[in-house]
């Protein structure tokens, strides 16, 4: 069976050529499920459906029979028609396989249209793909190279045809005039395409003509960018194809600091096991513990242009202790905040002790009661939920708050969630204002909650929503540039400056801080509010509270189900969409399940903040 280089293979190989070997041989990756969940959460499948609806009469090329029959069907239709539009046209040339989202033929001209859920703002009149110096933006280059790969295959198949490439993107300068647009898309069972990506089938149940008149997509000509990148892309693809011709051979790339974010670096691997990409690349250095790649901001050690870590790796050294304290400085050899954090990590990781700055404990003791630990769940998706909204406009659909009213007071919990098909932001903020008032301290983890409230304040002006008390409250409690908040305290910033536990490694996310605190502080396990999170694994280890949340099904209950747990923002967005806009939105039993799933997740986030606070203040 012939092995093809697909455009998804090409994209992975461009990040690291060695990954092509692991991808083609099916090595486990930490992104196996994340990519699909994010695709569903941000509405990528809906954007594709809208783009196709804007090209009526298109012929869908299936892929169930494999690439060769699909490619044969594509060429047959193109050769038989002077004017035709194809969806998912399959192209094969010299072991390269490309599937084009939309391919339009008119006489001797072809329009190649790649659809992405990424956004642009066409109202600026500027070329979004280039920086101020006219160079192609690094943020856009992977998307453009995706188009170049397809263009190259198409050009070689049809050398005499004029081909114009486009990126079809979401235009944030536009709004939708369609009520409940999001709910008019129905998602059916998912299938694996040739790139092993589960691609759902989408049906639009609304008025297609109305959607064509009121869509929010922009097709942008990228011919100049494609021709500029073409030589590099064709050279790289030739190298990648060569590695696939006689079986799959590995293109060796020197290991380096960039491997920190490799998807084949499994979270808890058996580094001596089979099919572990990171272990294969790093050999004995993969199992060093504590590992050099776990440093906070590791790529900046010694300066980004000459990272100390790469020099050590080349010499076969990959322990965290191999970096000397004197190396942990800025490029100008001064010790800035990042280096302070790195030195803290080095010292206490090697000592195998946690660190709590006395100044942090003193800061916590000075906080004004009541203490409100708050967390928000929000959604920013390509397809607007409600009429009048722009793409990727923020929707705040849930908050959780744990409150301690005074020293020694019992822990209280309050929460709010939107369960109706309506723009929820103002009710969200009003309910929060009523609960918090203007006293005490609002503890958050990172600045997301502050940003959300500032966004809702701007929404009040944009949507001409009049509520003077709410407007005044938002102005009072939030931080803005030049206007610090007397209420908001960022616990993540406090952790960055004054707390470290070796189990956190170089991370400051609550998802890393909580397990470190939870495993090391037995008193939390018997706390009346937290005992429900205490569980041990069959091996006897204390389990991460996030790992004990029960799973609930995503998808159509009449079809094959998959079990997921809401533990990240994309999962929460997906669960919210299922509850209000999914195929089972009229099933009250399932809606209650979704609601419970979201509530327990958000409640754990604020409970986790309380656990950390209790641990710090003991």
């Amino acid at each position: 069976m012939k092995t093809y280089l697909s455009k998804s293979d090409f994209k992975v190989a461009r990040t690291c050529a060695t990954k092509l070997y692991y991808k083609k041989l099916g090595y486990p990756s930490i992104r196996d499920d994340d990519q699909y969940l994010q695709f569903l959460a941000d509405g990528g499948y809906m954007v594709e459906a809208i783009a196709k609806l804007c090209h009526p009469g298109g012929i869908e090329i299936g892929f169930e029979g494999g690439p060769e029959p699909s490619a044969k069907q594509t060429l047959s239709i193109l050769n038989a028609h002077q004017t035709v539009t194809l969806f998912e046209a399959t192209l094969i040339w010299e072991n390269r396989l490309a599937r084009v989202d939309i391919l339009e033929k008119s006489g001797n001209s072809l329009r190649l249209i790649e659809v992405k859920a990424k956004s642009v703002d066409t109202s600026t009149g500027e070329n979004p793909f280039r920086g101020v110096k006219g160079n192609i933006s690094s943020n856009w280059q992977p998307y453009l190279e995706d188009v170049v790969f397809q263009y190259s295959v198409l050009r070689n198949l049809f050398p005499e045809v004029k081909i114009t490439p486009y990126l079809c993107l979401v235009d944030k300068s536009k709004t939708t005039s369609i009520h409940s647009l999001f709910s008019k898309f129905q998602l059916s069972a998912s299938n694996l395409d040739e790139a092993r990506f589960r691609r759902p089938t989408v049906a639009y149940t609304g008025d297609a003509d109305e959607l064509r008149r009121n869509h929010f997509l922009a097709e942008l000509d990228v011919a100049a960018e494609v021709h500029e990148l073409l030589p590099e892309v064709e050279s790289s693809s030739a190298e990648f194809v060569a590695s696939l011709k006689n079986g799959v051979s590995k293109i060796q790339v020197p290991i380096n600091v960039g491997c920190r974010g490799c998807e084949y670096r499994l979270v808890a691997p058996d580094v001596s096991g089979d099919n572990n990409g990171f272990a294969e690349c790093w050999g004995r250095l993969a199992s060093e513990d504590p590992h050099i790649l776990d440093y906070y901001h590791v790529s900046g050690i010694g300066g980004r242009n000459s990272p100390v870590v790469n020099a050590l790796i080349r010499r076969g050294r990959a322990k965290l202790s191999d970096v000397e304290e004197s190396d942990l400085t800025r490029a100008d050899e001064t010790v800035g905040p990042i280096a302070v954090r790195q030195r803290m990590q080095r010292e206490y990781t090697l000592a195998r002790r946690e660190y709590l700055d006395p100044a942090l404990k003193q800061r916590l003791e000075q906080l004004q009661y009541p203490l409100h630990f708050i967390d928000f769940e929000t959604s920013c998706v390509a397809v607007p939920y409600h009429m009048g909204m722009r793409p990727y406009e923020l929707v705040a659909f849930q908050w959780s708050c744990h409150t301690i009213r005074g020293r020694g007071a019992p822990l209280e919990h309050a929460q709010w969630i939107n369960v109706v098909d309506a723009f929820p932001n103002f009710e969200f903020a009003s309910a929060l204002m009523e609960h918090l008032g203007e006293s005490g301290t609002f503890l958050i983890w990172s600045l997301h909650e502050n940003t959300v409230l500032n966004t809702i304040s701007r929404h009040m002006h944009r949507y001409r929503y009049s509520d003077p008390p709410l407007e005044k409250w938002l102005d009072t409690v939030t931080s803005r540039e030049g206007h610090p908040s007397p209420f908001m305290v960022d616990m993540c910033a406090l952790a960055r400056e004054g707390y470290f536990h070796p189990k956190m490694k170089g991370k400051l996310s609550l998802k890393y801080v909580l397990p470190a605190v939870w495993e090391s502080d037995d008193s939390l396990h018997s706390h009346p509010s937290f005992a429900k999170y205490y569980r041990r694994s069959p091996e006897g280890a204390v389990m991460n509270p996030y790992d004990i949340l029960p799973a609930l099904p995503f998808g159509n209950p009449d079809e094959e189900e998959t079990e997921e747990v809401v533990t990240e923002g994309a999962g929460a967005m997906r669960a919210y969409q299922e509850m209000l806009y999914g195929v089972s939105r009229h099933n009250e039993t399932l809606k209650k399940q979704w609601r419970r799933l979201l509530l327990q997740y958000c409640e754990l986030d604020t409970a986790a903040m309380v656990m950390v606070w209790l641990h710090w203040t003991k």
Side-chain angles (χ1 to χ4, degrees), residues 11 35 38-51 101 114-121 140 143 146 167-172 182 199 216-218 380-384 391-393 573:
K11 288 164 65 177
Q35 184 187 20
Q38 188 62 53
F39 179 70
L40 295 177
D42 66 18
Y45 63 96
M46 296 183 183
V47 172
E48 289 186 3
I50 294 171
D101 290 332
E114 171 69 9
V115 182
K116 296 292 184 186
K118 191 171 172 62
S119 65
V120 290
D121 184 348
W140 281 101
Y143 299 94
D146 191 338
L167 266 175
C168 179
L169 304 166
V170 176
D171 189 349
K172 292 199 297 183
F182 200 95
R199 183 173 297 276
F216 42 83
L217 304 182
C380 292
V381 294
V383 177
Y392 289 110
E393 193 161 11
M573 287 166 58

Side-chain angles (χ1 to χ4, degrees), residues 223-242:
E225 289 74 23
V226 164
H227 287 109
E228 184 175 330
L229 293 170
L230 186 61
E232 182 180 355
V233 167
E234 291 194 328
S235 174
S236 296
S237 61
E239 178 188 10
F240 303 151
V241 165

Side-chain angles (χ1 to χ4, degrees), residues 27-41:
Y27 278 44
S29 161
I30 61 176
R31 296 180 187 168
D32 286 344
D33 294 323
D34 291 350
Q35 184 187 20
Y36 178 63
L37 186 59
Q38 188 62 53
F39 179 70
L40 295 177

Side-chain angles (χ1 to χ4, degrees), residues 171-315:
D171 189 349
K172 292 199 297 183
S173 69
K174 299 177 180 178
T175 62
T176 182
S177 60
I178 301 175
H179 179 65
S180 295
L181 173 61
F182 200 95
S183 65
K184 300 184 190 303
F185 292 87
Q186 288 190 353
L187 185 66
S188 64
S190 304
N191 299 305
L192 283 172
D193 66 10
E194 78 281 346
R196 298 190 60 76
F197 183 74
R198 288 183 286 169
R199 183 173 297 276
T201 302
V202 186
Y204 182 67
T205 62
D207 185 332
D209 289 331
E210 181 187 21
L211 181 58
R212 293 184 191 107
R213 293 192 301 268
N214 295 281
H215 72 82
F216 42 83
L217 304 182
E219 290 183 3
L220 303 182
D221 187 327
V222 292
E225 289 74 23
V226 164
H227 287 109
E228 184 175 330
L229 293 170
L230 186 61
E232 182 180 355
V233 167
E234 291 194 328
S235 174
S236 296
S237 61
E239 178 188 10
F240 303 151
V241 165
S243 74
L244 304 177
K245 282 196 171 176
N246 299 307
V248 182
S249 59
K250 185 185 293 186
I251 302 173
Q252 294 289 352
V253 175
I255 58 176
N256 60 81
V257 71
C259 298
R260 183 191 192 196
C262 178
E263 59 267 39
Y264 295 100
R265 188 185 183 200
L266 305 182
V267 176
D270 171 8
V271 294
S272 62
D274 295 332
N275 293 347
N276 185 309
F278 182 79
E280 283 193 24
C281 284
W282 282 67
R284 65 175 181 80
L285 299 183
S287 58
E288 297 287 20
D289 185 29
H291 204 280
I292 199 170
L293 293 184
D294 291 331
Y295 262 114
Y296 178 70
H297 283 247
V298 62
S299 60
I301 297 175
R304 294 193 177 275
N305 295 326
S306 56
V308 168
V309 174
N310 280 351
L312 289 169
I313 292 169
R314 285 194 295 269
R315 290 157 51 195

Side-chain angles (χ1 to χ4, degrees), residues 474-503:
L474 291 170
D475 186 61
T476 300
V477 302
T478 56
S479 291
R480 296 178 304 283
E481 188 174 352
H483 178 80
S485 169
F487 297 95
M488 296 281 185
V489 173
D490 180 5
M491 291 182 68
C492 182
L494 296 180
R496 183 185 301 112
E497 296 164 7
Y499 179 72
F500 178 77
H501 192 292
K503 289 182 180 295

